[in-house]
Amino acid sequence: MAEDMIAAQAAEQEADLVALMDGRARTYGLMARLFLKEVDKAVLTELQGMRFPAATGNAKVDEGYHMLYDYLRTSWDDSINELAIDYVRTFIGHGVNGFSAAYPFESVYTSERRLMMQEARAEVLQTLRENNLKRGSWTEGEDHIALELEFMQRMAMRAADALRAGDEDAAIEHLRTQRTFAQDHLLNWLPMMTEDMRRFSRTMFYQGLAQLVMGYAEEDAAVLDELLDSVEQAA
């Protein structure tokens, strides 16, 4: 009887972890799409039908979701044009120098002269290759925020699949990869980029996205630390 209870508890914990990984993958995937390009009609309709969390316990994440919700509930037919204009204003700007917009490339924020295609791009490309991920039809620098967020999404999906297959060791390695990537890349430049997003964007949508991605990256890094610390303590 006691063994059955222990087995049931272990199964429940594993199911919770799989659900956590799936949820992380969905969130990273959503954020990656919103940074990748302008919002189109299909994405706007999908967002309008979503239910955002009311209280996650993270102030930045909560504020981000609240701002997105406020924008979406008052959106109208011309919102797609408004968001397209704000996307260009926020992420492309007038292109005079590296200080004219919230350029979505890590190299811009980690190189001395704010140039693209610098060391950060090479490091991310190497990480993609080490994890057998190909760029496919991607034509931008690999250190674009959308691709970095997609990397976290893919690794979360792999961790979930490993857990479903009962391969705990593989799942742990995927989590370690994510933690290293978050520390070495995402958290290394997101504070600066999201600050610029709040400076250049004019809609609550991109203001909210800035808060959401910054808060979620910080919160997720803490979750990864907690999960991996528990594994190390149990070893």
Side-chain angles (χ1 to χ4, degrees):
M1 185 67 173
E3 292 179 355
D4 291 340
M5 290 179 63
I6 293 173
Q9 289 175 349
E12 184 177 350
Q13 290 174 351
E14 182 175 323
D16 289 344
L17 279 176
V18 171
L20 174 62
M21 296 302 119
D22 286 338
R24 293 177 62 242
R26 285 193 299 271
T27 302
Y28 275 116
L30 171 64
M31 294 189 299
R33 169 58 187 88
L34 297 181
F35 278 104
L36 177 63
K37 57 185 178 180
E38 299 93 330
V39 171
D40 57 22
K41 179 63 176 177
V43 171
L44 182 62
T45 300
E46 181 182 355
L47 290 170
Q48 289 170 329
M50 290 179 61
R51 296 183 62 182
F52 297 119
T56 65
N58 182 290
K60 290 178 184 176
V61 173
D62 291 346
E63 182 181 6
Y65 277 132
H66 182 74
M67 294 175 77
L68 288 173
Y69 172 77
D70 276 354
Y71 180 86
L72 292 168
R73 72 184 178 88
T74 58
S75 58
W76 68 100
D77 292 341
D78 200 43
S79 291
I80 293 176
N81 290 331
E82 180 182 58
L83 290 175
I85 292 170
D86 204 35
Y87 184 93
V88 172
R89 178 192 296 117
T90 303
F91 300 114
I92 300 175
H94 45 72
V96 175
N97 53 46
F99 300 89
S100 302
Y103 296 109
F105 296 92
E106 183 179 351
S107 290
V108 173
Y109 288 93
T110 57
S111 62
E112 185 176 348
R113 298 175 60 192
R114 283 217 168 195
L115 300 175
M116 294 172 56
M117 308 295 281
Q118 301 300 302
E119 184 178 351
R121 180 258 178 182
E123 291 175 354
V124 174
L125 177 58
Q126 181 62 28
T127 298
L128 295 178
R129 288 172 174 168
E130 289 173 353
N131 289 278
N132 298 314
L133 289 172
K134 298 180 180 180
R135 61 181 292 156
S137 60
W138 184 261
T139 57
E140 302 283 0
E142 285 79 5
D143 59 338
H144 191 288
I145 180 60
L147 199 62
E148 292 197 4
L149 293 171
E150 185 178 346
F151 176 79
M152 295 295 286
Q153 175 195 17
R154 295 292 187 91
M155 291 298 103
M157 292 168 64
R158 288 185 180 182
D161 289 343
L163 288 169
R164 290 189 184 96
D167 192 345
E168 185 175 318
D169 289 341
I172 291 170
E173 283 307 307
H174 294 319
L175 292 180
R176 285 178 175 149
T177 297
Q178 291 170 76
R179 180 171 66 176
T180 298
F181 190 82
Q183 291 172 343
D184 292 350
H185 294 284
L186 280 177
L187 295 177
N188 192 36
W189 68 291
L190 271 182
M192 294 177 285
M193 191 199 77
T194 53
E195 181 179 349
D196 278 347
M197 284 179 68
R198 291 191 293 272
R199 184 154 61 98
F200 289 107
S201 64
R202 296 292 179 268
T203 63
M204 289 185 67
F205 186 89
Y206 286 111
Q207 292 279 331
L209 182 58
Q211 290 294 87
L212 174 60
V213 71
M214 188 68 255
Y216 191 81
E218 292 173 337
E219 185 70 21
D220 194 54
V223 169
L224 290 172
D225 280 340
E226 183 178 349
L227 288 173
L228 290 171
D229 285 348
S230 66
V231 168
E232 291 166 3
Q233 290 172 7

